[in-house]
């Protein structure tokens, strides 16, 4: 059973920093893209950052957030600096994973972690 487990959310003041982690566990053959999404109350879920061989960011977080991954640990990170109140949301980890028992890739989601930025 493959699963994604996130950690690192919390409450921080504007201008502060947080680091989110997401570890994939289970019988994994390979992982393709790893992504971070977020969903604020009353808004649609949006892609924040993605990492394959390259990284891409939403315009709203460029220069403030950094996505990275440790392939040996099947873990993706999101370093969030200069946080703003508008960054408040539930952050979700997402990854395209090929389980050892499957031929193709499956889209997996973490349970989400709350990030709250106070002004």
């Amino acid at each position: 059973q493959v699963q994604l487990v996130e950690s690192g959310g919390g409450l921080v003041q504007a201008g502060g920093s947080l680091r989110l982690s997401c570890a994939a566990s289970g019988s994994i053959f390979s992982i393709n893209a790893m992504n971070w999404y977020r969903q604020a109350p009353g808004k649609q879920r949006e892609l924040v950052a993605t990492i394959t061989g390259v990284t891409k960011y939403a315009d709203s977080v460029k220069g403030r957030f950094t996505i990275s991954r440790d392939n040996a640990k099947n873990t993706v990170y999101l370093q969030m600096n200069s946080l703003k109140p508008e960054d408040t949301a539930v952050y979700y980890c997402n990854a395209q994973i090929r389980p050892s028992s499957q031929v193709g890739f499956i889209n997996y989601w973490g349970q989400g972690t709350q990030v709250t930025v106070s002004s």
Side-chain angles (χ1 to χ4, degrees), residues 6 36-48 89-94 107-112:
E6 300 142 343
W36 286 98
Y37 285 77
R38 68 185 180 186
Q39 188 166 19
K43 295 188 177 181
Q44 289 188 333
R45 190 171 297 189
E46 64 171 344
L47 179 62
V48 175
V90 178
Y91 284 70
Y92 296 92
C93 174
N94 167 263
N107 203 30
Y108 288 91
W109 290 90
Q111 79 284 1

Side-chain angles (χ1 to χ4, degrees), residues 26-80:
S27 185
I28 295 171
F29 183 83
S30 65
I31 302 177
N32 192 6
M34 301 188 83
N35 313 298
W36 286 98
Y37 285 77
R38 68 185 180 186
Q39 188 166 19
K43 295 188 177 181
Q44 289 188 333
R45 190 171 297 189
E46 64 171 344
L47 179 62
V48 175
T50 186
I51 183 167
T52 52
V54 296
T55 58
K56 294 183 180 179
Y57 299 92
D59 288 342
S60 59
V61 306
K62 280 181 182 176
R64 300 188 298 121
F65 290 11
T66 302
I67 188 171
S68 61
R69 64 192 283 177
D70 183 336
N71 291 327
K73 296 181 179 180
N74 289 335
T75 299
V76 63
Y77 305 95
L78 186 67
Q79 177 66 44
M80 304 184 294

Side-chain angles (χ1 to χ4, degrees), residues 98-118:
R98 179 185 167 184
S100 298
S101 60
Q102 303 282 342
V103 174
F105 285 86
I106 299 173
N107 203 30
Y108 288 91
W109 290 90
Q111 79 284 1
T113 186
Q114 177 69 46
V115 171
T116 303
V117 184
S118 63

